[in-house]
Amino acid sequence: MSTAKREMHLNLFLVPAGHHEGAWRHPDTEVNQLLQFEHFQRIAQKAEQAKFDSLFMADRYSASKKAVAYGALTGLEPLTLLTALSVVTKRIGLIATVSTSFNEPFNVARRFATIDHLSDGRAGWNIITSGTDEEARNFNFEQIPGHAERYERAQEFVEVAARLWDSWEEDALILDQAAGAYANSSKVHELNHKGEHFSVRGPLNVSRSPQGRPVLVQAGSSEDGRHFASTVADAIFTAQQTLADAQAFYADVKARVRQSGRNPEHVIILPGICPIIGETEAEAKEKEAKLHELTNPKYSLLQLSNRIGFDLTSYPLDGPMPDVPENDLSRGHQSRAQLIIELAHKENLTLRELLLRLAGGRGHRTIAGTAKQVADELEVWFTEGAADGFNIMPQLMNGGLDDFIDHVVPELQRRGLFRTEYTGRTLREHYGLPHPQNSFAALPQYQ
């Protein structure tokens, strides 16, 4: 076991305007640049200069005709954007979200192997199963498959993708121009996989990439999601509202990882944190209040209805959160929906109050305070068994990201909690993860 001092990991959750619903309307947001590459390039390069571990980009596969009237929707495809950003960055990791419900393992494995090659080993895959009927109807489904079925498909999907990445051994390439020998075919393997959901022969038509495979990330916190993450994930993104909840999640998942025969130190847990920073706490609260003023309750209610899988648009804003039937939660985003409902009932929030609580982070922990206060909270979560690092989600990107980089990052560095320089080149090295063993090379019968 390494005796090096433990340092936290920081990812930047990349969105154009910021994570607050009102961020696109803020005067500091240049709304005409939200689809411009130069805007994302500036953000990525700032994060790299601050020595963030990675950029993380979420994704959804649908748009609401009603919601686009009130809220900014960019919808840029993550792998395309992050591949472009790989050209203008050198060290920061690049984590793209791709759904296992609406893709095929061969295509996904090929795309991630490609970006891992082009970025010299900085690729990561955030594995999602998706969770709404609106998304499903864009892919020949009438409704989204059930929660358990989606995770069963995801398990097989990732197993097949991993075998495809392994289908070329590390030393399969010969590249002898004089002899005309490109590769050792005995070190290139067919899968001949036939399973419940997929039939894939292989091999992949891209040689083994610098990391062997991309870093695998998972964000579900439901029972199915925790089991899935414990068996495949290198990193886990999660939404937790309190230190106690975060500690319980951390302990549970690390125990599951150990039970699955994996090393818990090789699975890092990263809660989302949505900061607003001021010179004083009052200033930070005032910044947050101004963002709240820019929200539209109609948009917020549509977004919340979609997130929990239950239509709230007919309920009064100043009334309580209604009871949501259990079967409505079973198909969608179970863990996030449960977190939101529990928050509303625990704090006796009206729908209007709940919408404002969610406006800055959609259920992730929001913090409005000084740089020291933000650093204090991150340090407590990091040192008290709640996190290995954080997915940083600035509520306002223009200005808010600079506030975090200019004030919180130096404070964490002064405390010895965050790197001052990169020590590795790949995302796997940033996270302190071992290089994955090739499953074919480990089995003599495949030679």
Side-chain angles (χ1 to χ4, degrees):
M1 184 180 299
S2 173
T3 58
K5 179 178 173 59
R6 181 170 173 257
E7 294 180 336
M8 67 175 62
H9 303 283
L10 296 179
N11 299 323
L12 175 62
F13 193 145
L14 183 61
V15 295
H19 286 271
H20 197 286
E21 287 180 7
W24 76 276
R25 298 183 60 199
H26 194 278
D28 289 346
T29 297
E30 299 179 48
V31 70
N32 62 332
Q33 294 189 1
L34 298 184
L35 292 172
Q36 300 299 312
F37 177 72
E38 290 77 9
H39 175 67
F40 292 95
Q41 178 178 335
R42 285 193 295 271
I43 293 171
Q45 291 176 338
K46 284 180 181 180
E48 184 170 64
Q49 290 166 5
K51 307 303 183 290
F52 275 63
D53 292 69
S54 78
L55 302 170
F56 164 70
M57 193 170 179
D59 198 22
R60 291 192 60 191
Y61 290 79
S62 67
S64 165
K65 178 179 172 64
K66 292 181 180 179
V68 297
Y70 310 114
L73 176 72
T74 56
L76 292 177
E77 196 282 314
L79 270 175
T80 304
L81 177 57
L82 292 179
T83 301
L85 291 175
S86 75
V87 180
V88 296
T89 56
K90 297 294 184 184
R91 305 291 281 276
I92 196 166
L94 307 160
I95 301 175
T97 298
V98 175
S99 175
T100 57
S101 295
F102 309 130
N103 287 285
E104 291 289 325
F106 191 94
N107 289 340
V108 170
R110 185 187 188 197
R111 290 167 189 154
F112 276 104
T114 298
I115 190 174
D116 205 48
H117 276 293
L118 296 178
S119 66
D120 293 325
R122 295 185 282 139
W125 173 20
N126 180 44
I127 306 160
I128 63 169
T129 66
S130 302
T132 67
D133 292 341
E134 287 75 13
E135 292 171 294
R137 289 170 188 145
N138 288 329
F139 295 91
N140 293 315
F141 295 95
E142 283 301 313
Q143 63 180 13
I144 196 74
H147 198 267
E149 181 182 346
R150 296 201 312 275
Y151 273 100
E152 288 171 4
R153 176 186 168 94
Q155 192 84 42
E156 184 180 346
F157 193 116
V158 175
E159 290 171 1
V160 174
R163 296 283 278 171
L164 285 167
W165 290 315
D166 284 353
S167 63
W168 289 69
E169 294 186 38
E170 304 281 355
D171 56 350
L173 291 178
I174 298 174
L175 304 180
D176 188 333
Q177 293 175 299
Y182 182 77
N184 181 346
S185 61
S186 70
K187 294 181 178 290
V188 181
H189 306 281
E190 293 182 357
L191 281 65
N192 295 312
H193 173 87
K194 292 188 182 296
E196 180 71 22
H197 300 278
F198 304 105
S199 177
V200 181
R201 188 196 68 179
L204 198 63
N205 58 351
V206 183
S207 60
R208 192 161 174 86
S209 68
Q211 292 187 112
R213 70 178 192 210
V215 170
L216 300 181
V217 181
Q218 205 272 337
S221 297
S222 66
E223 180 64 26
D224 290 329
R226 294 185 194 209
H227 172 74
F228 178 61
S230 69
T231 60
V232 305
D234 300 308
I236 298 170
F237 295 155
T238 181
Q240 306 294 335
Q241 281 290 315
T242 68
L243 174 63
D245 288 344
Q247 289 171 323
F249 178 85
Y250 187 96
D252 177 68
V253 171
K254 293 282 187 174
R256 290 172 187 253
V257 170
R258 186 178 294 106
Q259 290 165 5
S260 71
R262 304 173 65 210
N263 186 343
E265 292 186 4
H266 296 158
V267 178
I268 63 174
I269 296 178
L270 306 163
I273 298 292
C274 309
I276 290 183
I277 299 155
E279 291 188 10
T280 65
E281 183 177 356
E283 180 184 283
K285 298 287 187 184
E286 184 179 352
K287 287 182 178 181
E288 187 173 47
K290 287 181 178 179
L291 280 169
H292 285 345
E293 291 172 2
L294 299 175
T295 61
N296 185 312
K298 291 182 180 179
Y299 173 78
S300 302
L301 205 55
L302 285 168
Q303 295 296 88
L304 178 57
S305 297
N306 183 270
R307 187 163 300 279
I308 69 172
F310 183 77
D311 188 0
L312 295 165
T313 55
S314 63
Y315 290 86
L317 284 173
D318 293 312
M321 176 76 178
D323 292 328
V324 179
E326 187 70 26
N327 61 330
D328 284 346
L329 298 180
S330 65
R331 306 193 67 81
H333 303 283
Q334 279 189 356
S335 58
R336 188 64 58 82
Q338 197 62 48
L339 181 151
I340 290 169
I341 292 167
E342 288 177 358
L343 173 66
H345 291 161
K346 181 179 179 180
E347 300 189 15
N348 197 28
L349 301 174
T350 66
L351 272 178
R352 191 186 303 276
E353 291 168 336
L354 177 62
L355 293 177
L356 290 179
R357 284 290 300 274
L358 300 175
R362 304 175 303 283
H364 292 277
R365 178 82 170 103
T366 57
I367 309 173
T370 65
K372 182 181 182 303
Q373 287 174 318
V374 173
D376 286 346
E377 183 150 354
L378 298 187
E379 181 173 9
V380 169
W381 282 44
F382 178 66
T383 58
E384 297 298 323
D388 295 309
F390 302 92
N391 214 14
I392 302 302
M393 306 165 61
Q395 296 191 47
L396 181 67
M397 195 62 73
N398 279 358
L401 175 59
D402 289 333
D403 287 341
F404 188 88
I405 288 174
D406 293 343
H407 303 294
V408 179
V409 169
E411 180 65 26
L412 294 174
Q413 291 170 333
R414 279 193 291 273
R415 301 181 190 191
L417 295 172
F418 186 63
R419 68 170 68 88
T420 56
E421 294 293 340
Y422 290 113
T423 56
R425 297 203 65 85
T426 70
L427 177 54
R428 194 166 288 278
E429 290 170 340
H430 296 342
Y431 280 168
L433 302 174
H435 192 82
Q437 184 180 35
N438 188 299
S439 58
F440 285 102
L443 299 174
Q445 64 265 34
Y446 283 102
Q447 302 306 311

